[in-house]
Amino acid sequence: MVTTFRTVPLDVRLTFHTAMTEVNEPVMQSAMALAILTPFGLAVAGRGLPRRLALGAGALTVTSLLVTVFGNIPLHAHIRRGAATSAPAGHSEILQKWELFHTIRTLTGLSAFALMIGIAVLTGREPVEKARRLP
């Protein structure tokens, strides 16, 4: 997405960015809530390493939320103004900051996802091994 943003004219980028934000906001709020609740739920249910991995995943998803709320969302107001009128003063710096925050939240989200996969791999073997030991 960011690569595409960089290749189109600025007015197209600002317009698309604004439209995408408006469409994604309701969906992303629900997805983010689930992304935060799931690892913390696993941390409550888990023990040992899976619990620690779940706590790490939860912390990463909270970090992603904080970056979004305090980084990306305030910049959306500047981008919306630019789409409605003309590019705001310092628009390239605003867009660079948005991309930086977007990269941070993407990396924290992917890291949280990797930890969740680690939990599935670790705990997925236990039920199979227990079942094999049954008569």
Side-chain angles (χ1 to χ4, degrees), residues 31-53:
M32 197 57 128
L34 286 173
I36 291 171
L37 291 174
T38 301
F40 287 126
L42 284 173
V44 169
R47 301 272 183 265
L49 182 59
R51 173 179 276 171
R52 290 190 298 277
L53 292 175

Side-chain angles (χ1 to χ4, degrees), residues 42 50 53 114-126:
L42 284 173
L53 292 175
L115 290 177
M116 296 295 282
I117 290 172
I119 294 167
V121 168
L122 284 173
T123 60
R125 292 182 183 158
E126 291 174 14

Side-chain angles (χ1 to χ4, degrees), residues 15-67:
T15 301
F16 180 75
H17 190 102
T18 300
M20 183 183 66
T21 301
E22 290 172 4
V23 170
N24 286 345
E25 278 180 2
V27 174
M28 291 311 296
Q29 290 173 4
S30 301
M32 197 57 128
L34 286 173
I36 291 171
L37 291 174
T38 301
F40 287 126
L42 284 173
V44 169
R47 301 272 183 265
L49 182 59
R51 173 179 276 171
R52 290 190 298 277
L53 292 175
L55 287 171
L60 286 165
T61 56
V62 168
T63 300
S64 185
L65 173 67
L66 293 173
V67 168

Side-chain angles (χ1 to χ4, degrees), residues 9-19 79 82-83 86-88 91 95:
L10 181 60
D11 62 326
V12 172
R13 177 180 181 165
L14 296 176
T15 301
F16 180 75
H17 190 102
T18 300
I79 294 169
S86 62
H91 68 276
L95 295 174

